[in-house]
Amino acid sequence: MKLAFSTLGVPGMPIPEVAELAVSAGYQGVELRGHPEEPVHPGLGAAERASVVKEFERAGVEILTVAGYARAADVTVPDSAFREEVDGLLRLARDLGASYVRVFPGGGDAAGPEADGTAARRLGVAAEVAADFGVRVLLETHDSHRTGADAERVVAAVGHPQVGVLWDVMHTWRGGEAPVVTRATLGPYLGYVQVKDIASAQDTTPLALGAGVLPLRECLSTLSDDTWVCWEYEKRWYEAAAALPPLLAPGRAHLEGLLGR
């Protein structure tokens, strides 16, 4: 499998340092957090985008994803606002050569048929732009749609190959869904997998891989050999958590051990 890490774990780190870190720790790709707090976001100009591409090409590291924050199932946000946000993310992903754009459900605590329908309608429109750009939009298993079954309801309704699912193993686990069930449910909709580790369902402070309770071995055992696996270490939201860079190489070794390498 190909391994990546998310820049959510290294908030604000300059792009040359991110690329160098990936190489030194043995990761083939990076998931870029696409937010104005970060060096890479939809507001970048053409020259800045080209510079980002050159840095990663020079390092031989793939830009896997632009991780955005658009909320597909949020019925309080107008369709036009969602489309504008996603179109900006898709253009950025196209210009960077990224394979994916990540979006959230964001349907709220009482998400139901209306939220599902809203998300499917919006993602169906986004799929046409994504197809033109050669990018795939992935709905993350998160918040209102945290299980594979939740996400599959939406993407199956879309029925477009440019719309799939990003499997965050923490959220499906907290939703009570076994890894083998998640993988079977997602089927061809699976884009790639985000791994992490935490102490418990109540304490989600990020830990080194293997130091917590998440069923990483069971998750990885369900995947095909060409699946990307990305470590999302949520340092941005947990400032007291240990720094990610020293953990990256041991984390890679742990994942490779689980894969039997």
Side-chain angles (χ1 to χ4, degrees):
M1 292 180 188
K2 295 170 286 187
L3 301 179
F5 67 89
S6 168
T7 56
L8 187 64
V10 286
M13 179 177 283
I15 289 303
E17 295 180 28
V18 171
E20 181 181 346
L21 181 60
V23 172
S24 64
Y27 287 75
Q28 294 81 43
V30 171
E31 177 188 279
L32 294 176
R33 179 176 181 242
H35 189 279
E37 294 179 344
E38 302 293 343
V40 176
H41 55 81
L44 289 186
E48 295 167 303
R49 296 179 185 211
S51 177
V52 172
V53 171
K54 288 180 181 178
E55 287 293 343
F56 283 105
E57 286 181 344
R58 185 178 299 116
V61 175
E62 184 168 336
I63 301 174
L64 179 63
T65 304
V66 172
Y69 291 86
R71 302 186 302 276
D74 187 349
V75 299
T76 69
V77 173
D79 285 3
S80 58
F82 176 81
R83 180 166 186 177
E84 181 179 359
E85 186 171 1
V86 170
D87 283 358
L89 293 166
L90 286 169
R91 290 190 188 95
L92 178 60
R94 175 199 60 190
D95 293 347
L96 298 182
S99 298
Y100 305 109
V101 160
R102 187 278 307 279
V103 300
F104 282 145
D109 294 336
E114 183 183 7
D116 286 358
T118 297
R121 181 181 69 252
R122 291 170 171 175
L123 292 174
V125 174
E128 300 304 323
V129 179
D132 289 342
F133 289 174
V135 178
R136 196 176 187 201
V137 180
L138 299 183
L139 180 69
E140 184 172 326
T141 55
H142 194 276
D143 57 82
S144 61
H145 293 66
R146 62 182 177 174
T147 66
D150 294 331
E152 190 270 345
R153 288 197 313 270
V154 173
V155 297
V158 177
H160 195 292
Q162 294 306 116
V163 174
V165 177
L166 170 52
W167 176 10
D168 182 318
V169 303
M170 181 183 76
H171 290 290
T172 54
W173 176 78
R174 294 182 77 198
E177 192 174 67
V180 66
V181 173
T182 303
R183 182 66 188 92
T185 300
L186 294 182
Y189 303 118
L190 178 65
Y192 67 99
V193 179
Q194 281 181 346
V195 295
K196 59 191 68 174
D197 225 340
I198 56 174
S200 69
Q202 294 73 40
D203 183 359
T204 57
T205 303
L207 299 176
L209 294 179
V213 298
L214 293 183
L216 300 182
R217 185 186 300 275
E218 291 85 347
C219 292
L220 296 180
S221 70
T222 70
L223 305 178
S224 60
D225 289 343
D226 60 349
T227 306
W228 275 95
V229 174
C230 177
W231 185 5
E232 185 189 49
Y233 186 85
E234 298 183 332
K235 174 68 172 175
R236 173 62 182 85
W237 314 127
Y238 297 86
E239 294 183 5
L244 176 62
L247 303 178
L248 279 172
R252 172 186 52 76
H254 180 72
L255 292 174
E256 290 176 344
L258 294 180
L259 293 166
R261 292 182 181 176

